[in-house]
Amino acid sequence: MPDVGEGLTEAEILKWYVQPGDTVTDGQVVCEVETAKAAVELPSPFDGTVHELCFPEGTTVDVGQVIISVNVGGDAPPAPAAPVTESVAAQAVPAEPVAEEDEPQGRQPVLVGYGVAASSTKRRPRKASGDVVPTAPVQQAPAAVSVPEQLNGHASAAGRPLAKPPVRKLAKDLGVDLTTVVPTGPDGIITREDVHAAAAPAPAPAVETPAAAPAPVQAPAPAAAPAAAPTTETSGARETRVPIKGVRKATAAAMVGSAFTAPHVTEFVTFDITRTMKLVEELKTDKDMAGLRVNPLLLIAKAILVAVRRNPEINAAWDEAAQEIVLKHYVNLGIAAATPRGLIVPNIKDAHAQTLPELSKSLSELVATAREGKTTPAAMQGGTFTITNVGVFGVDTGTPILNPGESAILAVGAIKLQPWVHKGKVKPRQVTTLALSFDHRLVDGELGSKFLADVAAILEQPKRLITWA
């Protein structure tokens, strides 16, 4: 089981797409797993035949454990039991392990071409079974491990560049050959930034990278919520116990950590949003927004981006270890999304640089991906400011908890027709309430109040999207 996110320690096997005896190719998706952040498809790094699936669906497996055994030896019969206890990626042939052999240094490739750090200990010599000829494996196994071809200055044990599945997909989408990318990540792992840097001088090079950029095969959609349907439920039971795992477990840990680490302050503002609602209706018929989704959340997001520009200190983070306040000169706008697997907060990268049509497209893609359960761990990392829209449930407002690593979060309440004093007369107007929670360690009351007042002022008079931008 590889670490498909940043520092994840376990994942649940949701679905196997192959069975023992099936032929798999390099890059073919063999299973789908759910981490603490998202559901991720895992490709095979080899051509071969599936020998054994080491864990059934629904099992939570620690990172580093072997989950599938693949016979990569062509016509040679797969070893009966011994290889199942070791990663298939560490062997080029289905042979018995060599007695008293040192582990390869650095990271060993597992299911997606990288893996846990190698142990400094030696494996105990293992007895060879009587029907195996020991001479051939002894000559071949070391060569497969110790002489990989050099890839951009870093070699994996399988002779492939080290990169995580989201990075491989990004490289494929951008047409980047991973073997030409210079890695900057730990242990020679290629990061998203490395791929973007390689794509900058040549946006769409025509390269052939069958082994470096696996293309997931079409597969049926995952189960909507495995954790919500425990097998222990019986008819007429007064209680049902649901295991705490996956996204729910990660959300709980993050919320507890945030609530008891950052001193939260929440401020509220109620205002007339009628003009913004009229603008929403006008934009729906605008030719520049044709085919795009236009709703109040889009203009609220744009208002936040303008308010951040006027109050840049709100877009920051507290670095406890370094005792520094980190001011972010970009906005990765997070959108809290309720999914069958629980609450997730994917974010729109560099939202501050997007036009209104671009922002609309990004929001639509983010929501659609979240509903399908296909949000990647990378999409949920690096957020700087979050919106949570509780108004869709008819709720007036709330006191949101900060997303870890961010200094503020805005809750949007329901928009309702209410009596409101407008131009000296009581009239029915569309009214809403915004709630801003912020980290009082780095956001003072004055800054938080100014920011919240700016967002409300823009939505009261949406022409400020132009005058203040």
Side-chain angles (χ1 to χ4, degrees):
M1 177 67 68
D3 175 6
V4 295
E6 295 296 330
L8 298 178
T9 60
E10 63 183 16
E12 178 186 354
I13 298 175
L14 291 181
K15 185 176 184 62
W16 284 109
Y17 295 137
V18 296
Q19 295 298 325
D22 290 353
T23 299
V24 294
T25 58
D26 187 354
Q28 177 181 336
V29 172
V30 294
C31 69
E32 182 179 34
V33 301
E34 181 183 37
T35 70
K37 296 182 178 181
V40 180
E41 293 178 332
L42 300 183
S44 167
F46 300 115
D47 296 330
T49 303
V50 177
H51 173 44
E52 182 174 352
L53 306 181
C54 303
F55 295 95
E57 294 176 358
T59 305
T60 299
V61 182
D62 292 335
V63 168
Q65 284 190 277
V66 179
I67 62 174
I68 184 172
S69 174
V70 178
N71 173 25
V72 295
D75 296 332
V84 177
T85 62
E86 297 185 309
S87 169
V88 301
Q91 300 176 344
V93 292
E96 293 292 335
V98 181
E100 203 66 39
E101 180 182 7
D102 291 343
E103 296 284 343
Q105 298 299 315
R107 287 183 179 266
Q108 300 179 48
V110 284
L111 197 59
V112 293
Y114 71 100
V116 295
S119 170
S120 59
T121 61
K122 295 182 178 179
R123 291 192 182 275
R124 187 182 305 170
R126 194 175 294 162
K127 295 181 180 180
S129 56
D131 58 344
V132 176
V133 180
T135 55
V138 171
Q139 295 175 355
Q140 295 178 7
V145 174
S146 61
V147 195
E149 56 179 303
Q150 283 298 116
L151 300 170
N152 47 29
H154 295 268
S156 71
R160 306 173 71 244
L162 309 181
K164 299 178 181 179
V167 178
R168 294 184 180 276
K169 184 177 185 302
L170 175 64
K172 182 190 177 198
D173 293 341
L174 297 179
V176 175
D177 184 350
L178 287 180
T179 61
T180 66
V181 178
V182 178
T184 61
D187 300 310
I189 294 177
I190 297 172
T191 65
R192 294 178 64 89
E193 290 72 20
D194 297 335
V195 174
H196 282 301
V207 293
E208 297 180 1
T209 55
V217 296
Q218 293 182 352
T231 56
T232 57
E233 183 176 357
T234 58
S235 177
R238 292 170 61 86
E239 294 181 352
T240 298
R241 290 182 172 267
V242 180
I244 302 173
K245 57 184 178 180
V247 175
R248 174 58 58 193
K249 183 176 181 180
T251 300
M255 293 298 97
V256 170
S258 176
F260 293 99
T261 299
H264 285 54
V265 173
T266 305
E267 293 186 338
F268 309 89
V269 61
T270 301
F271 61 96
D272 181 358
I273 197 174
T274 303
R275 288 187 177 91
T276 291
M277 298 303 291
K278 290 180 178 179
L279 180 57
V280 168
E281 295 305 315
E282 292 174 5
L283 288 173
K284 288 181 179 179
T285 61
D286 190 288
K287 63 178 182 179
D288 292 330
M289 302 297 291
L292 299 175
R293 181 175 176 80
V294 180
N295 55 19
L297 182 61
L298 173 62
L299 294 186
I300 292 170
K302 196 65 176 178
I304 288 172
L305 296 173
V306 173
V308 167
R309 181 177 297 180
R310 288 169 56 83
N311 306 273
E313 294 86 359
I314 199 80
N315 190 48
W318 182 275
D319 189 335
E320 182 67 29
Q323 286 295 291
E324 295 175 340
I325 294 174
V326 184
L327 300 176
K328 309 293 181 66
H329 304 302
Y330 58 92
V331 182
N332 289 346
L333 187 61
I335 308 294
T339 73
R341 291 190 176 93
L343 176 68
I344 63 173
V345 189
N347 60 78
I348 301 172
K349 309 298 183 186
D350 294 327
H352 66 286
Q354 296 190 5
T355 64
L356 194 64
E358 291 171 341
L359 190 60
S360 174
K361 183 178 179 181
S362 296
L363 276 170
S364 297
E365 292 176 349
L366 179 147
V367 172
T369 303
R371 286 175 177 172
E372 294 170 359
K374 299 297 184 181
T375 302
T376 64
M380 292 182 282
Q381 296 166 5
T384 66
F385 190 98
T386 295
I387 305 173
T388 176
N389 186 10
V390 297
V392 296
F393 305 109
V395 175
D396 291 335
T397 189
T399 54
I401 297 177
L402 295 171
N403 200 28
E406 301 176 14
S407 65
I409 179 173
L410 186 77
V412 181
I415 299 173
K416 298 180 178 179
L417 198 64
Q418 297 183 16
W420 194 262
V421 177
H422 178 67
K423 296 181 179 181
K425 297 181 180 180
V426 177
K427 297 182 179 181
R429 303 286 287 181
Q430 290 176 301
V431 178
T432 191
T433 299
L434 301 180
L436 178 73
S437 291
F438 53 85
D439 186 343
H440 214 348
R441 293 177 298 179
L442 67 160
V443 178
D444 295 329
E446 179 185 13
L447 174 59
S449 300
K450 285 183 175 180
F451 175 82
L452 183 59
D454 278 355
V455 175
I458 293 170
L459 295 173
E460 277 187 320
Q461 297 284 350
K463 65 183 180 182
R464 292 188 173 113
L465 286 170
I466 301 173
T467 58
W468 285 4

